Amino acid sequence: MPQPLLTLDFLDTAAPAAEATPSGEVRITAATRTGRQRKLYIESYGCQMNFSDSEIVSSILFDEGFDTTDDLANADLVLLNTCSIREKAEQTVRMRLKQINSHKKRKPGMLVGVLGCMAERLKSKFLEEEKIVDLVVGPDAYRDLPGLISQVDGGQKGVNVLLSREETYADITPVRLNSNGITAFISIMRGCDNMCSFCVVPFTRGRERSRDAHSIVQEAQALVAAGYKEVTLLGQNVDSYKWASADGTEFVNFAQLLERVALISPELRVRFSTSHPKDITDEVLHTMAKHDNICKYIHLPAQSGNTRVLALMNRTYDRPWYEERVQAIRRILGEDCAISTDMISGFCSETEEEHQDTLSLIDFAQYDMGYNFFYSERPGTLAARKLEDDIPLDVKKRRLQEVIDRQQIHARARYARMVGRVHQVLVEGPSKRSAEHLSGRNSQNQVVIFPKQNFKKGDYVNVLATSTTGAALLGEAV
Ligand code: SAH
Ligand code: SF4
Ligand code: F3S
């Protein structure tokens, strides 16, 4: 998602915005309020929603007297917030548990817990499969962590994988982890009511529910007060956000929420992820056009360019519908609005011709960015139950490579057309390659690198792009 959610090293592709790097470490060291001084080490896998949840978990445990630490070897509690989206994501977690086991041998009191989607999918089976695990907690049960930890302290195992129809953690102020102090994520909804046939998320995250609009605005206001300059509103399908006040007098849809957040401050950039092609409305696009501080970038996963495959995937739109949504973006927001996609190669029964349709959709949409995967069958999904996973792995991988190569051409072209123009860049910090340069993003979410002069993190700088590497713009402040 924008950095749409977003960073596991997914072998099959670059990390999707929707799927971020495993944070690996947590740098915030919160002062302990209860004096218990236990140390929490938390690592997140999968999408930005998981990263955002880890910040909620840290907040809940902070109130229980846990400091966060980046030192795994000395942690009292090690939590892995896990992802089930593809088989490889689960394998990564199992390998990590083996490494953690060697730390636990050296520090026998260490408690190990598994949170998130894999916990939800495997439930108490996890305890049988991975002996070092003491705690298994699903995405809607984090408020129960203190109780479960006491149970484990008492010598038992702790499991809570109940899904909820109401939980949004609206009242919990997240402890910002690994934060640059400039950009932050805000969860606006949880779960997913779509039943894409390949996808495990509806099973691991439960029913869709939208968070109280006022609590979202308040969280964004608090971030602005703390000096943050950009928020990304997160959900599996943000366009279906809908919230009504308890007395039924107030209704807020996604376009209206976006506007409320944009109006907090012209200095605050607003991004969002992920948009579902069936739900993104012209009202959302017009709201984006109306407010300069809503970034001109839409993550609009297509999954396939072929109508028959889209029907098998149960995406509920066809190719003409998707193309029309891309045209609506171009019509209302202009050619400059960036669009990115997710594509799945080698879905059940996909023919070579249908794969070609995916390539031609990439040409049609001229995506700025693509997060591309080969199909990985997930137990319990509609596709696993009803369709045969019949495309050989080598064919899946070859098609995926063709998708990646085609996408690269457009990504480079989209960067190239931005050269010679001035971009408003929000500085996120020093460039990774050079301490003399700063790195930030333009509205389209493209990386822009320029000599630092006297600028600093959090500044908005107008930068003339003078060249591109194909994955970043290089330029100078004007
Ligand atoms: N809610 C978002 C997607 C979240 S999952 C949406 O509807 O677009 C992120 C991406 O992982 C998906 O867009 C899809 O491209 C990919 N994905 C999901 N399940 C997969 C599977 N079984 N095999 C391969 N890729 C998958
Ligand atoms: Fe999965 Fe589809 Fe929901 Fe996205 S919209 S999370 S792909 S079921
Ligand atoms: Fe996210 Fe992975 Fe779960 S992508 S919702 S953490 S299955």
Side-chain angles (χ1 to χ4, degrees):
M1 290 157 251
Q3 302 268 71
L5 304 211
L6 316 339
T7 321
L8 279 186
D9 172 30
F10 288 100
L11 270 188
D12 43 0
T13 182
E19 304 192 11
T21 335
S23 54
E25 51 184 351
V26 172
R27 281 185 206 94
I28 260 201
T29 305
T32 300
R33 274 187 246 166
T34 64
R36 279 168 66 199
Q37 302 278 4
R38 291 171 93 182
K39 299 267 184 262
L40 161 68
Y41 175 93
I42 185 164
E43 214 169 77
S44 310
Y45 296 81
C47 65
Q48 290 296 355
M49 311 246 7
N50 252 11
F51 284 66
S52 170
D53 280 1
S54 290
E55 298 185 332
I56 288 165
V57 167
S58 300
S59 174
I60 291 170
L61 292 179
F62 177 78
D63 290 344
E64 281 297 298
F66 281 90
D67 284 348
T68 49
T69 177
D70 57 7
D71 180 11
L72 167 59
N74 288 311
D76 301 294
L77 173 62
V78 174
L79 296 177
L80 298 187
N81 198 355
T82 61
C83 174
S84 287
I85 201 80
R86 286 169 288 276
E87 199 182 344
K88 184 167 169 282
E90 294 202 352
Q91 284 166 356
T92 308
V93 167
R94 291 197 192 270
M95 273 155 56
R96 189 67 174 135
L97 283 170
K98 293 205 169 52
Q99 293 167 351
I100 290 168
N101 200 13
S102 62
H103 287 281
K104 186 167 171 158
K105 284 194 184 122
R106 272 175 253 138
K107 189 171 192 292
M110 181 186 274
L111 304 183
V112 179
V114 180
L115 315 178
C117 291
M118 221 177 146
E120 191 62 48
R121 195 178 82 71
L122 291 162
K123 306 190 166 51
S124 51
K125 261 198 292 183
F126 224 124
L127 298 174
E128 294 149 34
E129 290 177 24
E130 303 283 348
K131 295 283 181 244
I132 74 154
V133 174
D134 304 297
L135 270 170
V136 179
V137 189
D140 287 345
Y142 298 146
R143 285 182 204 268
D144 198 21
L145 270 166
L148 292 166
I149 291 167
S150 312
Q151 212 169 301
V152 175
D153 285 340
Q156 292 167 276
K157 300 270 179 178
V159 180
N160 187 344
V161 289
L162 288 177
L163 287 171
S164 158
R165 280 173 177 258
E166 286 94 35
E167 182 63 271
T168 59
Y169 301 109
D171 56 317
I172 294 179
T173 306
V175 170
R176 303 287 163 190
L177 300 172
N178 286 345
S179 172
N180 59 10
I182 304 299
T183 59
F185 293 94
I186 302 182
S187 285
I188 64 165
M189 57 207 296
R190 301 182 69 82
C192 183
D193 279 353
N194 296 315
M195 272 288 175
C196 301
S197 60
F198 52 79
C199 185
V200 78
V201 171
F203 304 94
T204 61
R205 293 264 162 180
R207 298 303 297 269
E208 179 186 294
R209 63 222 99 119
S210 296
R211 176 177 166 189
D212 181 320
H214 298 286
S215 78
I216 295 168
V217 171
Q218 279 159 13
E219 188 172 332
Q221 284 167 333
L223 286 164
V224 170
Y228 283 79
K229 295 285 178 68
E230 183 180 297
V231 294
T232 302
L233 308 181
L234 291 181
Q236 291 298 353
N237 179 4
V238 290
D239 305 276
S240 74
Y241 176 89
K242 50 186 163 318
W243 175 80
S245 60
D247 61 6
T249 56
E250 199 185 353
F251 293 91
V252 183
N253 68 15
F254 181 61
Q256 293 159 338
L257 178 75
L258 199 53
E259 176 147 73
R260 286 190 189 194
V261 178
L263 288 171
I264 291 172
S265 161
E267 285 277 294
L268 178 71
R269 272 187 175 179
V270 187
R271 299 186 185 276
F272 56 90
S273 187
T274 297
S275 289
H276 195 296
K278 88 172 149 59
D279 293 315
I280 190 165
T281 58
D282 286 0
E283 189 191 0
V284 168
L285 303 179
H286 286 296
T287 305
M288 291 176 73
K290 194 166 136 196
H291 297 278
D292 283 344
N293 59 332
I294 303 181
C295 291
K296 303 303 179 270
Y297 170 45
I298 300 174
H299 184 52
L300 193 70
Q303 314 297 358
S304 167
N306 176 268
T307 291
R308 188 190 74 92
V309 175
L310 287 169
L312 282 181
M313 288 176 163
N314 204 24
R315 286 292 284 183
T316 69
Y317 53 84
D318 55 13
R319 174 154 179 165
W321 173 279
Y322 188 90
E323 288 188 352
E324 191 282 325
R325 289 292 77 202
V326 170
Q327 284 165 334
I329 293 169
R330 300 284 178 233
R331 183 173 68 241
I332 296 167
L333 292 160
E335 285 302 314
D336 281 353
C337 183
I339 308 176
S340 61
T341 188
D342 296 344
M343 294 290 191
I344 297 178
S345 294
F347 187 63
C348 311
S349 79
E350 182 192 66
T351 65
E352 283 303 325
E353 269 183 349
E354 290 165 340
H355 162 62
Q356 289 297 327
D357 286 342
T358 295
L359 298 180
S360 76
L361 184 64
I362 293 172
D363 292 339
F364 176 88
Q366 300 181 27
Y367 296 110
D368 291 71
M369 181 87 114
Y371 302 102
N372 305 307
F373 315 95
F374 63 77
Y375 174 57
S376 164
E377 186 177 82
R378 307 311 295 131
T381 56
L382 283 176
R385 284 183 278 137
K386 299 256 174 358
L387 303 170
E388 197 189 337
D389 180 13
D390 56 355
I391 307 298
L393 186 60
D394 59 332
V395 176
K396 285 180 181 175
K397 287 187 172 170
R398 193 252 305 148
R399 289 182 190 170
L400 172 62
Q401 194 55 52
E402 288 173 10
V403 166
I404 292 171
D405 292 345
R406 187 67 64 95
Q407 176 45 41
Q408 272 287 314
I409 296 171
H410 294 290
R412 284 174 190 281
R414 294 287 295 177
Y415 265 102
R417 70 190 284 285
M418 294 300 194
V419 173
R421 292 163 54 172
V422 174
H423 302 265
Q424 191 198 51
V425 176
L426 173 60
V427 179
E428 290 176 17
S431 152
K432 278 186 205 124
R433 301 246 170 90
S434 144
E436 293 310 306
H437 289 74
L438 292 172
S439 172
R441 286 170 196 274
N442 61 9
S443 174
Q444 289 78 9
N445 208 38
Q446 292 173 318
V447 175
V448 184
I449 294 167
F450 62 98
K452 81 169 178 208
Q453 299 174 312
N454 291 323
F455 299 109
K456 57 183 192 312
K457 198 166 81 167
D459 286 347
Y460 284 105
V461 183
N462 288 325
V463 177
L464 171 67
T466 50
S467 65
T468 173
T469 63
L473 292 169
L474 309 177
E476 52 208 42
V478 289

